[in-house]
Amino acid sequence: MKPFPPRDPLPRSIFIIAAAVATAHVALSFSPWYEMFRDEFYYLACAARLDAGYVDHPPLSVWMLAGVRAMLGDSVAAVRLLPALAAGATTAVAGMLARAMGAQRTGMVLAALFAAGVPILHALASFYSMNAFEPLLWGITLLCLFRALDRQRPRDWMWLGLLLGIGLMNKHTMILLPAALLPALLLTGQRRVLGTKGPWIAAAITCCIVLPNILWQWAYGFPSLEFYANATKYKNIPTSPLEMVFLQSMVGNIFFLPVWIAGVWWLFIHDSGRWRFLGWTVIATYLIFLATQSSRPDRIAGIYVLCAAAGGAALGARLAQRAALARTGAIAAITLAGIVMLPLVLPLFPPVTQSRVMGLAGMNRQFEKGQRAPLPQHLADRFGWRDMAANIANACALLTPEERAVAAIGASNYGEAGALEYYREEYSLPPTLATHNSYFHWGPGATSGEVMIMIGTSEEELHEMFEDVQNTWIIHWGGFAMGFENDLPIYICRRPRVPLKELWPKLKKYV
C-alpha cells in the first residue's frame, strides 16, 4: 500500500469549534430547571466503592469520576466536566480523522462541524456516564488504526491495542468497533494486514488491559452477561428495522443524512480503494445494530465520528474548487442545521417548552418497556430526586430514636438508591439499600432489616416480608419524571418475617 501523502495542518477553527461545544455543555450543567440525572447518582455511588467491575458497566468511567470527585467535589458542574470536555474533543477528532483521509482545511472544518451537529453525541455528553466517552474513544481508536496501517510498525499496533483496551474498560459495546472492522477488512485488499503480526499484537495488549474486568466477571459469575440478557429480554423495547433506521436518521441529524450517504460512498470510491474498508465498517455497524431489533440508538453513536470525517472530506473535496462564498455558505448551513437539532436532545428550555418541542419532532420516545413520560428518559430522569429525599426524611421523623439507630432505606432501583446516598448528609438519612444491579452485588452490609423505610415496592410484597407495614407518605414527583417514579408510597416496615441476609439472594434484580 502506498504511503499517505503529506497533510495540511489542522486549522485553528477546529479547536474553536471544540472549545465552543465544551463550553456549551459546561454552561448547561448550571441549568435551573433540571437536576442530576439518575445514572449520575449511581456512578457516584460506584465511585465510592471502587472495584475492577460492576454489574452493568466496566470500571474505567467510575475510576475517572472518583478522581474528579476527589479533586473537584460532586456538584453537577464538577460531575459533568469530563463529558463536556469529551464532547469538545470528539469534534476535534472528527477533523483529525478527515485530515488523515487526506482532507484539506475546508474538509477538516466541515468534519468538525458535522460532529458538532450530531444530536446523539450531545445527548450522551449532557450527563456523566460511560456513554459520554465512547464516541471519542471510537474516533481516537480509528486514528490509531490509520497510523498503524500507514506505518506498519509494531509500536503503532501497540497504541491501537491500548486504545481498544481502554475503550472496552469504559464500555463493553466498544466491541462493536472491531466486530465491524474485521469483516470490513476481510472484504477489501486490507485483509492482507491480518496476516502480519501487528493486529495480533494489538489484540494481545487489549486482552491484557481488560483482564482485570474479565477476572472480576469470572469471580462473580459473569453478572454483566446476565444483565445484558435480562435487558434485552425484559427492558429494551423491540423495534422494527424501519423504525430503527428512522431513529438513527434523527439522532444522527436528519439534515445530514445526504452527507452521511455521500461520505460512505466517497469511502468506497476514493483513492484506489484505500478507504473502502471504512465504508464497509459503517455498513457492518448498522447491520449489527439492525440485527439486534431492540438496541437503543446510542449503541452505535461512535460511528457518527467516522461519518462526520468522511462527510467532511467528501464535501470539502467538492468545495475545494468553488468560490470562497460557496465554502462560507456550506459552513453556515451546516452550523445552522446542527443548532436547529440541539433542542431535540439537550435541556435548553423549561420542561413544558422542552416537551412540546421534542414532541413535535417525535423525539420524546422511550426505549425501555414500562416507561412513560412527556420527555425522553435522558431528560425525564432529572426531576424529583431532592424532593424524594425530603419526603423520606419526613418519614424518618416518625421513627423512635431506637428505631432510627437500626433503620435503613430500601429503594427499588439504583437511581433512587444513588440519589438518597447523594442527599444523605443534607437530610440526615439512614443508609440506603437496593437489590438493583451493583447495589445487589454490594449486599446488605451490617443492616439488620429490623426497621426499613421502603419505596417502590408494593404493599402486598411488603406484607409477605414484614409483620408490620405502615403507609406513611406519598412521593409526588411532578408531571415530567418517569411515570413509574410518580406517586410512590413510603412504608415503614418492622419485624421482618425472614432475616434480611437470608432473604437477600432471592431479591436480585439485574436489568
Side-chain angles (χ1 to χ4, degrees):
M1 184 174 68
K2 64 181 181 180
F4 286 86
R7 301 173 182 127
D8 292 342
L10 284 172
R12 291 183 181 178
S13 52
I14 286 183
F15 300 102
I16 294 174
I17 295 168
V21 168
T23 302
H25 277 279
V26 169
L28 283 175
S29 67
F30 295 96
S31 170
W33 304 302
Y34 300 86
E35 294 184 57
M36 200 173 280
F37 179 65
R38 170 190 299 274
D39 287 17
E40 290 173 309
F41 292 118
Y42 179 46
Y43 274 73
L44 285 168
C46 293
R49 303 167 174 89
L50 293 180
D51 208 337
Y54 301 89
V55 169
D56 43 359
H57 54 265
L60 180 61
S61 59
V62 172
W63 296 346
M64 293 192 298
L65 183 57
V68 170
R69 192 177 198 176
M71 292 185 290
L72 302 177
D74 57 7
S75 67
V76 177
V79 168
R80 293 184 183 165
L81 177 60
L82 287 184
L85 295 176
T90 300
T91 63
V93 167
M96 294 176 187
L97 282 170
R99 176 177 180 263
M101 294 175 185
Q104 297 179 342
R105 294 174 62 86
T106 300
M108 297 179 219
V109 174
L110 292 175
L113 283 173
F114 282 131
V118 175
I120 190 64
L121 300 184
H122 289 288
L124 297 179
S126 68
F127 60 91
Y128 193 98
S129 77
M130 58 187 172
N131 301 309
F133 308 105
E134 190 176 34
L136 175 61
L137 289 168
W138 274 54
I140 298 176
T141 300
L142 286 170
L143 277 176
C144 286
L145 176 62
F146 291 174
R147 178 183 287 265
L149 290 174
D150 182 20
R151 301 184 181 183
Q152 288 296 327
R153 297 181 306 185
R155 68 182 183 187
D156 295 312
W157 290 102
M158 291 171 64
W159 279 109
L160 177 63
L162 174 66
L163 263 296
L164 276 174
I166 290 173
L168 286 168
M169 287 293 276
N170 174 70
K171 190 179 179 185
H172 291 136
T173 55
M174 183 75 180
I175 194 67
L176 289 175
L177 179 56
L181 279 169
L182 180 59
L185 290 170
L186 290 172
L187 286 169
T188 65
Q190 300 281 29
R191 71 176 71 89
R192 65 177 68 90
V193 76
L194 298 176
T196 67
K197 62 182 180 181
W200 309 107
I201 292 174
I205 292 174
T206 297
C207 290
C208 289
I209 292 173
V210 301
L211 183 61
N213 186 241
I214 294 174
L215 294 176
W216 183 92
Q217 297 283 347
W218 180 282
Y220 293 104
F222 293 94
S224 292
L225 293 180
E226 182 178 349
F227 163 78
Y228 295 135
N230 288 343
T232 300
K233 185 175 182 180
Y234 301 115
K235 185 169 72 170
N236 296 336
I237 296 175
T239 308
S240 69
L242 185 61
E243 188 176 10
M244 295 174 84
V245 170
F246 170 75
L247 290 170
Q248 282 298 329
S249 69
M250 291 300 291
V251 301
N253 196 322
I254 189 69
F255 300 114
F256 293 168
L257 184 58
V259 179
W260 301 153
I261 296 172
V264 173
W265 177 247
W266 180 85
L267 291 172
F268 277 104
I269 66 173
H270 178 68
D271 198 14
S272 302
R274 179 191 292 275
W275 305 117
R276 192 170 297 154
F277 80 98
L278 292 175
W280 285 118
T281 298
V282 176
I283 292 174
T285 302
Y286 271 93
L287 290 177
I288 293 171
F289 173 72
L290 292 174
T292 65
Q293 294 286 294
S294 62
S295 286
R296 297 184 332 213
D298 62 280
R299 294 290 187 256
I300 59 169
I303 201 64
Y304 288 108
V305 184
L306 174 57
C307 289
L315 184 56
R318 294 293 299 270
L319 293 174
Q321 305 304 320
R322 303 292 180 90
L325 182 61
R327 295 193 294 271
T328 302
I331 289 172
I334 293 167
T335 303
L336 179 61
I339 292 174
V340 166
M341 294 293 287
L342 293 184
L344 303 184
V345 291
L346 292 179
L348 298 177
F349 307 119
V352 173
T353 306
Q354 191 80 41
S355 176
R356 291 173 180 167
V357 170
M358 301 186 78
L360 288 173
M363 292 292 285
N364 56 352
R365 182 184 185 278
Q366 307 300 334
F367 297 98
E368 297 180 3
K369 297 175 183 177
Q371 313 281 41
R372 66 185 193 281
L375 291 167
Q377 187 179 7
H378 77 280
L379 298 181
D381 269 336
R382 306 185 195 206
F383 295 96
W385 303 110
R386 182 184 290 275
D387 289 341
M388 178 189 67
N391 278 273
I392 295 289
N394 291 334
C396 290
L398 302 176
L399 301 176
T400 66
E402 293 76 17
E403 290 176 331
R404 182 63 182 265
V406 298
I409 304 169
S412 66
N413 57 64
Y414 66 63
E416 296 169 358
L420 291 170
E421 280 196 44
Y422 185 79
Y423 291 115
R424 180 182 180 185
E425 185 176 341
E426 181 177 344
Y427 289 96
S428 300
L429 300 176
T432 301
L433 305 178
T435 59
H436 188 200
N437 294 353
S438 287
Y439 269 98
F440 172 83
H441 173 72
W442 298 328
T447 302
S448 67
E450 289 298 315
V451 179
M452 296 291 298
I453 300 168
M454 303 293 294
I455 58 172
T457 304
S458 70
E459 188 168 356
E460 293 76 13
E461 291 178 284
L462 293 175
H463 277 293
E464 293 177 3
M465 293 186 287
F466 296 90
E467 295 180 11
D468 181 10
V469 177
Q470 176 188 357
N471 190 334
T472 63
W473 224 275
I474 296 289
I475 302 175
H476 295 288
W477 290 63
F480 292 98
M482 298 303 296
F484 66 90
E485 296 286 14
N486 273 310
D487 299 329
L488 294 180
I490 303 175
Y491 298 96
I492 297 178
C493 303
R494 303 175 177 89
R495 299 192 299 277
R497 299 181 187 276
V498 179
L500 181 58
K501 290 186 181 296
E502 182 179 331
L503 182 63
W504 193 265
K506 304 175 184 178
L507 302 176
K508 180 174 68 172
K509 186 167 62 174
Y510 286 175
V511 65

